[in-house]
Amino acid sequence: MVTGAVGVGLASGLASVGGVAAIAGAVVAVGIYWVVMRHVARRSMPEIAKSGAVTQTLFGVAIGFGFITVSMLMLLTEFSFDERPGNGLSIVASMAATSVGAAVTEELLFRGLALQALEKLCGSWAALTITAVLFGGLHLANPDATLWSSTAIAVEAGVLLGAAFLWKRNIWFVIGLHFAWNTTQGLIGIPVSGHASEGLMTTYPTGPDLLTGGDFGLEASIVPVIVSLLIAIPMLIAAHRRGNLVPMRRGRR
């Protein structure tokens, strides 16, 4: 986990640049993950298998898009929208590239490396809890972050994305979900985890912060927190039924 985190973390620096560099950073991150798992962990990597990668990614994209769309439809009266000038194709391409870089590197770090390593130490439930809290805590450094916004991120992203991985045991699925989540928000013009988005529209919160998320963005709204749990809980139930959850390890007597 430590070796992989260092390597993928370095690649995330390249991915954060945006544009072509973000795509390159994502590719490098996958390569580093493969090398670490193959030569350090010395295990197979069914979670990044080529077979079914496109299908799993598109499935994740559908869920991520649906998650943000449903949340926004419930809050339409709490925002005002203005069309933003600019080349639509260029805006979409730039937003998608940035989202790919973030989704790939963050999912390899948190669900690929951290969650799976912690599972071996303390089981799936503890690993899910620890990675969710860590993911939310790291977002405290983002612009306009508060203790509430990080708690919301821990539930929405930490629990939902962790549940998605435990259900499918497939990184591509989780990457697709994360990618669509960020891209949809960005194109609407809503800040993504506190970072301003230059999307196809300019969106202004007009309702209370508890509903709109305020300056931090939709992820600090109570509505997607609830929606994410409604998605994550069935995923965790399905993961349990499939036998995908690692039980907590007990000491020897």
Side-chain angles (χ1 to χ4, degrees), residues 110-111 126-137 150 153-155 157-159:
F110 284 91
R111 263 56 67 174
L128 177 63
T129 302
I130 293 168
T131 53
V133 171
L134 180 60
F135 197 77
S150 289
I153 287 284
V155 176
V159 174

Side-chain angles (χ1 to χ4, degrees), residues 81-100:
F81 305 89
D82 290 331
E83 185 179 354
R84 182 172 174 269
N87 185 301
L89 183 60
S90 176
I91 291 171
V92 171
S94 176
M95 191 71 65
T98 301
S99 295
V100 165

Side-chain angles (χ1 to χ4, degrees), residues 38-208:
R38 178 69 179 271
H39 298 289
V40 181
R42 296 184 179 181
R43 72 163 178 83
S44 60
M45 293 153 280
E47 69 273 18
I48 59 168
K50 293 180 181 179
S51 176
V54 174
T55 302
Q56 291 292 337
T57 301
L58 291 177
F59 186 23
V61 166
I63 292 180
F65 175 77
F67 168 50
I68 297 301
T69 301
V70 168
S71 298
M72 279 302 298
L73 287 175
M74 297 172 68
L75 293 167
L76 280 180
T77 58
E78 308 300 328
F79 292 90
S80 64
F81 305 89
D82 290 331
E83 185 179 354
R84 182 172 174 269
N87 185 301
L89 183 60
S90 176
I91 291 171
V92 171
S94 176
M95 191 71 65
T98 301
S99 295
V100 165
V104 170
T105 54
E106 289 182 15
E107 292 315 311
L108 289 176
L109 281 169
F110 284 91
R111 263 56 67 174
L113 291 163
L115 192 149
Q116 291 191 95
L118 289 169
E119 272 190 308
K120 293 182 179 297
L121 293 175
C122 50
S124 296
W125 290 111
L128 177 63
T129 302
I130 293 168
T131 53
V133 171
L134 180 60
F135 197 77
L138 289 176
H139 282 75
L140 269 173
N142 289 24
D144 298 306
T146 64
L147 183 59
W148 161 248
S149 70
S150 289
T151 301
I153 287 284
V155 176
E156 296 163 348
V159 174
L160 175 57
L161 294 171
F165 179 76
L166 293 173
W167 177 34
K168 289 293 186 179
R169 289 287 172 178
N170 189 289
I171 288 290
W172 304 120
F173 172 65
V174 189
I175 286 173
L177 197 165
H178 195 154
F179 164 79
W181 172 336
N182 285 359
T183 303
T184 305
Q185 283 191 107
L187 292 178
I188 294 172
I190 295 175
V192 179
S193 301
H195 296 284
S197 300
E198 297 183 352
L200 297 173
M201 294 182 289
T202 301
T203 302
Y204 305 96
T206 57

